[in-house]
Amino acid sequence: AGHYRTEVTVGKGVAHADFEVKPEETAPITVVVGVGTVRLTFVPGKGAAPFPSTSYVRIYPLGPDGKPAKEQLTGYYGNPVSFTLPAGRYQVSAKVRENWSPSEIEVKSGEDRNIEIVVPKP
């Protein structure tokens, strides 16, 4: 019995919940982690076949001023690539060959989206 705090992590999203355990009682606890999943596919032009791969993908949260954070939140190699992120706006920077190309995406809680991002050929 007592008071506790739990932390739940889903992808890059984190949520906390405080709860109380009472003697000889069982009660469910619901913790909502406000995340969405995006599957990013990088193409040389709208509707074109995807690049075989990306050298790297970086995800930066965007601040209220629309500027990306200095530190990336996450990143990965590949094409397509999926991320589970907290709801919000992000800058996606993808490197194909030697060409870095930034794009903006928005993630909504509970959403599962496919997003095509055009990265012009160098």
Side-chain angles (χ1 to χ4, degrees):
H3 293 272
Y4 297 91
R5 181 175 184 88
T6 187
E7 178 178 286
V8 178
T9 302
V10 177
K12 290 295 178 179
V14 178
H16 298 91
D18 296 318
F19 60 97
E20 181 180 1
V21 175
K22 296 181 182 179
E24 299 182 31
E25 285 188 17
T26 300
I29 300 168
T30 301
V31 181
V32 177
V33 184
V35 296
T37 299
V38 291
R39 182 175 184 259
L40 307 176
T41 302
F42 302 94
V43 296
K46 190 167 176 67
F51 289 105
S53 185
T54 58
S55 297
Y56 198 70
V57 178
R58 295 178 179 163
I59 307 287
Y60 297 90
L62 291 176
D65 59 359
K67 293 182 181 178
K70 292 181 192 263
E71 298 289 325
Q72 77 180 43
L73 177 64
T74 190
Y76 204 71
Y77 301 88
N79 190 25
V81 64
S82 294
F83 297 97
T84 300
L85 303 168
R89 293 176 33 239
Y90 296 90
Q91 181 187 75
V92 175
S93 289
K95 184 178 182 186
V96 177
R97 297 184 185 100
E98 295 304 313
N99 189 22
W100 281 100
S101 184
S103 299
E104 186 177 315
I105 63 168
E106 184 172 358
V107 175
K108 295 183 180 177
S109 183
E111 188 173 66
D112 189 354
R113 289 178 52 192
N114 293 315
I115 301 174
E116 182 180 86
I117 296 178
V118 175
V119 179
K121 289 183 180 180

